[in-house]
Amino acid sequence: MTMPRFPATRFQGSKRKILPEIAKLLETENCKSIIDLYSGSGIVSLLFRYLGKTVLANDYLKYNRNTAELFLTCSKHDFSSLNPEADLDFLLQNSGANYRGLVSEGFSGIYFKDYENAEIDNFCHNIKEYSGFKKALYIYAVGQALIKKRPYNLFHRANLDMRLKDVVRSFGNAKTWETSIADHALKCIKELALLPDLGSTDNHAMNIDTANLELLPKSYDVVYMDPPYINGKSVPVNYSNFYHFLEGLCDYELFSKGDMRYPHKPIVNLESAWHKRDASLAKVARICEHFSNSTLIMSYRSDGTPAPEEIAEVMRGCRRNVEVHSAGEYQYALSRKTDNEEIFIIARS
Ligand SMILES: C[S@@+](CC[C@H](N)C(=O)[O-])C[C@H]1O[C@@H](n2cnc3c(N)ncnc32)[C@H](O)[C@@H]1O
């Protein structure tokens, strides 16, 4: 299958590289509707839409919900009358109103330079003038710009000094860090605008913590799940800690709630069952139970904790037929000691 060029993303754990494998897997599933239960960068939801599915995306981070909503509902027509240069100039530079700059006040010296913090404050005030597609688009694009301008593309450390140190760098980040928020955002918008028409916009995005599964509908044919995982060194990936800062683009007041106990002042701190081994296994069982009529497709890694076979066992205990595949090859070989491989765990009811 030839696929369009999906937007680039620096989101940790994005499945962009294995989109063709996910598409191939779905070819053999009888599936008209699908939930992307942990949507992250939104790129898999975008693929599902491209494949003609009715899609519901979900993520407990507001910024991720916003991206998924944008990807699932934007149309070519939305871009036709857009003037992103002028809009971004207004959003980032217009400081006419007399307001408190929560980012300038609370985050000086932590993530961005002072003039960039002022642009973020301007953005958060001016974006209130927009709604619908334009609001979602600019929150997405400015968020992507902020990710690109961060060392490691994350917000887990107060490490602006990495950008400021006057050293000769052996890596090519300095140029990316110093590119303006507006230029990065423009590039992002242009990439998205290049996508072909993606068809139906009758899709939705939710912002539910899967601790409250009962809030999610049970009526979808397939539930695709790509939760955070605990890696081979037993370190859980905490997305809330990695991307908390972007939540402020969706809810400005959060910038006044940075947790002073930590140098990086996280503005959101969400726990997840997927940060602990036993809680993860209990969550797998709950998901099997809640979506009792849906096929589950789980993206996972061969070195994850709990081990893939432990997850498969819990699914079998919930009366599911379970297969474990390598992403790409048909047979996942338990005996092969590949230390870190993308896999699919498929559980049919
Ligand atoms: C591995 S990422 C998903 C990556 C995504 N498939 C992609 O290609 O970009 C896992 C996502 O799960 C979300 N998440 C973690 N715990 C959650 C929970 N309890 N409820 C809902 N979302 C959660 C995180 O915010 C993160 O975006």
Side-chain angles (χ1 to χ4, degrees):
M1 179 195 298
T2 48
M3 299 217 295
R5 194 178 181 282
F6 283 83
T9 172
R10 300 200 181 189
F11 189 83
Q12 178 102 9
S14 144
K15 290 291 171 284
R16 187 173 183 275
K17 283 202 183 114
I18 63 158
L19 292 179
E21 283 77 11
I22 297 175
K24 191 146 185 285
L25 193 66
L26 282 182
E27 274 173 15
T28 51
E29 288 302 323
N30 185 12
C31 158
K32 289 199 176 70
S33 60
I34 187 159
I35 300 186
D36 185 4
L37 195 56
Y38 300 96
S39 62
S41 70
I43 207 84
V44 179
S45 287
L46 186 63
L47 170 75
F48 293 155
R49 181 182 174 197
Y50 173 73
L51 296 174
K53 313 294 178 194
T54 300
V55 191
L56 172 65
N58 178 63
D59 200 288
Y60 74 175
L61 292 177
K62 294 177 205 292
Y63 177 80
N64 293 350
R65 192 214 68 84
N66 179 81
T67 304
E69 173 99 7
L70 174 72
F71 284 3
L72 289 175
T73 59
C74 68
S75 69
K76 272 250 167 270
H77 175 73
D78 291 324
F79 290 94
S80 59
S81 55
L82 202 70
N83 186 345
E85 285 88 353
D87 287 345
L88 284 166
D89 188 52
F90 162 71
L91 289 166
L92 294 163
Q93 304 304 334
N94 176 47
S95 58
N98 196 6
Y99 57 73
R100 260 185 83 189
L102 297 179
V103 179
S104 300
E105 276 176 26
F107 290 88
S108 181
I110 296 186
Y111 296 120
F112 298 105
K113 295 182 177 176
D114 284 347
Y115 76 92
E116 294 165 339
N117 287 335
E119 289 187 0
I120 299 168
D121 280 323
N122 290 339
F123 177 82
C124 292
H125 283 276
N126 295 323
I127 195 71
K128 292 177 191 149
E129 305 280 318
Y130 292 15
S131 61
F133 164 73
K134 274 175 84 171
K135 184 172 182 185
L137 176 74
Y138 290 119
I139 289 177
Y140 160 70
V142 166
Q144 294 302 302
L146 299 185
I147 290 177
K148 285 187 184 164
K149 286 171 66 64
R150 290 285 309 139
Y152 309 110
N153 304 124
L154 298 174
F155 297 88
H156 66 323
R157 283 189 206 139
N159 54 3
L160 175 64
D161 59 334
M162 280 185 77
R163 267 180 72 184
L164 305 180
K165 274 185 206 147
D166 192 16
V167 294
V168 180
R169 296 193 183 85
S170 56
F171 46 98
N173 292 325
K175 190 162 174 271
T176 312
W177 294 338
E178 297 317 316
T179 299
S180 70
I181 297 175
D183 284 351
H184 278 307
L186 262 179
K187 192 166 171 228
C188 245
I189 292 169
K190 284 182 180 154
E191 263 188 295
L192 201 55
L194 279 177
L195 280 175
D197 214 330
L198 294 164
S200 170
T201 56
D202 186 22
N203 303 305
H204 301 281
M206 294 179 78
N207 188 212
I208 302 292
D209 184 334
T210 54
N212 307 310
L213 271 183
E214 65 285 357
L215 299 176
L216 289 157
K218 298 165 176 242
S219 52
Y220 284 69
D221 299 330
V222 169
V223 176
Y224 171 76
M225 48 192 268
D226 179 21
Y229 94 123
I230 307 171
N231 71 16
K233 294 177 188 143
S234 301
V235 180
V237 180
N238 184 334
Y239 283 87
S240 151
N241 192 42
F242 280 180
Y243 297 109
H244 66 93
F245 192 83
L246 302 180
E247 299 299 271
L249 300 181
C250 302
D251 180 356
Y252 186 53
E253 286 305 312
L254 288 174
F255 284 125
S256 64
K257 301 197 172 118
D259 188 339
M260 307 289 275
R261 288 177 299 169
Y262 306 97
H264 69 303
K265 289 175 75 176
I267 64 173
V268 167
N269 180 8
L270 301 176
E271 264 313 315
S272 178
W274 300 99
H275 299 163
K276 294 196 181 107
R277 180 186 174 282
D278 291 353
S280 306
L281 289 172
K283 184 57 60 188
V284 170
R286 265 292 286 135
I287 287 173
C288 288
E289 199 181 287
H290 181 75
F291 300 106
S292 53
N293 293 321
S294 314
T295 294
L296 304 181
I297 299 181
M298 182 169 183
S299 268
Y300 206 60
R301 297 193 83 108
S302 53
D303 74 333
T305 302
E309 267 313 302
E310 292 179 286
I311 292 177
E313 232 6 81
V314 167
M315 291 171 163
R316 287 188 193 104
C318 299
R319 296 182 303 284
R320 300 272 181 156
N321 286 322
V322 184
E323 291 166 27
V324 185
H325 292 197
S326 288
E329 294 161 50
Y330 190 70
Q331 191 63 47
Y332 163 66
L334 280 175
S335 54
R336 202 174 58 218
K337 282 273 167 263
T338 314
D339 46 11
N340 194 353
E341 185 188 11
E342 288 280 357
I343 60 171
F344 296 126
I345 306 174
I346 303 160
R348 296 195 172 80
S349 55

